[in-house]
Amino acid sequence: VETGAIPDVLLTNAVFCTWLGLCQEHEPEEPPEASPPHFDAREVLENLFAWWQANGQGWVLRYQARLYPQGQPPSLRNTFSSRDNADRKNWLTLLLLGALHKLGRVQIEAHRDFLRSCERKGWLDVFADREHDARQWMQVLEEYLDDPSGRHHYYQWMKQFVEIFQLSRWLSEYVEAILSINRLPGAFALDQILAPRTSAFFSGGGPEAPPLTRTLGIGAHFVMRELSRLGHLRQSFAHRYCYVPSPRVRRLLDALGCRNLETESRTDQSVAIHDFLVKHLGQMRGTFDRSFDLPLHAVASDSGLQIELLQRPLPDDALDSGAAG
């Protein structure tokens, strides 16, 4: 073969090549995967927008009852008082719910019930106390571990103890950094807010606190959404960060043709979702009247609603057993 002594016509003969060992049999190729169903993104989103206009308020009330310990969002003041324990507890509740989003594949009722348990046992008061008495914090751990039943309910939640302390210890700084968004004159990177210690935005003497990026994870978008939805953040440039990119929402949007959702950056995923919705619904309606990703969660988690709005259900793997944001 190397010297060209074998005519080309023989080299194209499969039997001859196999006899000489010049080629190997190829394994049969696997059939291509079935392509996902095609949906008209604009039509689906228009239908979803109309459905949300008629049903969104009731859906949100049920969602909040499943999410918040009191059945409704905590009462937050835009002028945070670090000396007011009630104010601290309300803000801490919101940030803790955000941080607990990282647990994944957990229904949001479980986060709510964990915080209710902390409230009943007086632990939430310890977490919210601005004095951060080390003995009280250790007493919480001892009380949990000395449970006579030995069942240790909410073990995965209590493993977040370091993050609970971080949110408590630097709560004032984090609230200050988040509310500073309202004073920004234009677009900003979310990391500028979540990492105030190293942020160029706060280089003139801003909040001195460890970064929240890893502590909140995907829950950073939950916090941004809730604060924007409830009117505490009024900066429209924050809207791009208000979409919780859960697996079920990403799969729904992938079926609608939204790309760039497989990046490892949750922030980039949220921005991609925002841009996709604005492209098909326009700048004003792309936030679903400041409900952001909640309508997407509604349809992604309800096969009956999928049939109503999409005329057919999504593939089975488009549903995810995790929390609804």
Side-chain angles (χ1 to χ4, degrees):
V1 172
E2 292 176 354
T3 62
I6 301 178
D8 291 341
V9 66
L10 290 179
L11 291 176
T12 59
N13 186 300
V15 175
F16 181 78
C17 288
T18 302
W19 178 65
L20 289 180
L22 296 177
C23 59
Q24 299 177 349
E25 295 183 5
H26 295 285
E27 297 181 359
E29 295 184 358
E30 297 182 359
E33 296 183 3
S35 58
H38 173 72
F39 298 100
D40 185 318
R42 188 177 302 277
E43 179 182 355
V44 169
L45 293 174
E46 289 285 356
N47 290 341
L48 179 56
F49 186 88
W51 180 88
W52 190 253
Q53 291 284 95
N55 302 277
Q57 185 175 2
W59 193 95
V60 167
L61 290 176
R62 294 189 295 273
Y63 168 75
Q64 292 178 159
R66 296 171 52 216
L67 173 67
Y68 288 110
Q70 303 300 326
Q72 58 186 5
S75 178
L76 303 178
R77 297 187 300 180
N78 294 338
T79 53
F80 175 70
S81 173
S82 63
R83 296 182 178 276
D84 187 329
N85 254 30
D87 213 12
R88 291 180 60 85
K89 186 184 294 187
N90 288 334
W91 273 97
L92 186 60
T93 294
L94 179 70
L95 294 179
L96 284 175
L97 285 172
L100 292 174
H101 271 63
K102 299 194 308 302
L103 294 182
R105 306 189 74 82
V106 177
Q107 295 298 326
I108 58 177
E109 291 88 346
H111 303 324
R112 175 201 65 191
D113 293 344
F114 168 68
L115 291 179
R116 283 179 176 175
S117 176
C118 290
E119 180 70 73
R120 286 194 305 270
K121 296 177 179 180
W123 296 351
L124 205 56
D125 290 314
V126 175
F127 299 157
D129 189 351
R130 65 189 296 269
E131 298 300 329
H132 307 106
D133 188 324
R135 291 173 299 178
Q136 290 186 330
W137 281 79
M138 291 301 100
Q139 186 176 342
V140 169
L141 282 181
E142 289 179 3
E143 183 178 338
Y144 175 76
L145 294 173
D146 284 342
D147 180 3
S149 70
R151 290 193 293 268
H152 296 119
H153 295 301
Y154 301 111
Y155 182 72
Q156 293 300 322
W157 286 259
M158 288 298 291
K159 283 173 64 177
Q160 316 304 311
F161 202 72
V162 171
E163 295 179 347
I164 295 174
F165 179 81
Q166 177 188 345
L167 291 172
S168 171
R169 170 63 180 81
W170 287 278
L171 181 62
S172 298
E173 288 81 358
Y174 293 141
V175 173
E176 178 186 346
I178 292 171
L179 290 180
S180 71
I181 292 173
N182 288 327
R183 302 191 299 270
L184 296 179
F188 63 95
L190 188 56
D191 283 349
Q192 290 180 299
I193 305 301
L194 299 182
R197 176 177 288 171
T198 58
S199 172
F201 177 71
F202 296 115
S203 60
E208 175 65 24
L212 274 175
T213 313
R214 180 175 297 180
T215 304
L216 290 180
I218 192 174
H221 301 287
F222 163 83
V223 172
M224 294 292 289
R225 183 196 71 204
E226 290 299 278
L227 290 175
S228 296
R229 182 176 72 87
L230 299 171
H232 301 293
L233 289 183
R234 302 176 298 278
Q235 230 273 28
S236 61
F237 288 101
H239 292 173
R240 65 185 62 191
Y241 305 125
C242 294
Y243 301 84
V244 183
S246 66
R248 63 173 60 172
V249 164
R250 298 202 311 272
R251 289 169 184 157
L252 166 64
L253 289 170
D254 182 69
L256 295 181
C258 180
R259 301 297 175 248
N260 303 320
L261 292 178
E262 296 310 315
T263 172
E264 293 183 2
S265 168
R266 300 299 188 190
T267 297
D268 290 344
Q269 292 173 351
S270 178
V271 172
I273 293 171
H274 170 263
D275 292 347
F276 182 77
L277 295 177
V278 168
K279 173 184 176 182
H280 291 287
L281 292 175
Q283 191 70 43
M284 299 299 295
R285 298 193 304 160
T287 67
F288 286 100
D289 293 333
R290 285 178 170 262
S291 296
F292 303 103
D293 61 303
L294 290 182
L296 302 175
H297 283 294
V299 68
S301 58
D302 187 337
S303 58
L305 187 56
Q306 292 164 24
I307 294 174
E308 177 182 346
L309 299 178
L310 285 70
Q311 283 71 58
R312 58 187 183 276
L314 291 168
D316 290 342
D317 66 352
L319 298 180
D320 183 85
S321 60

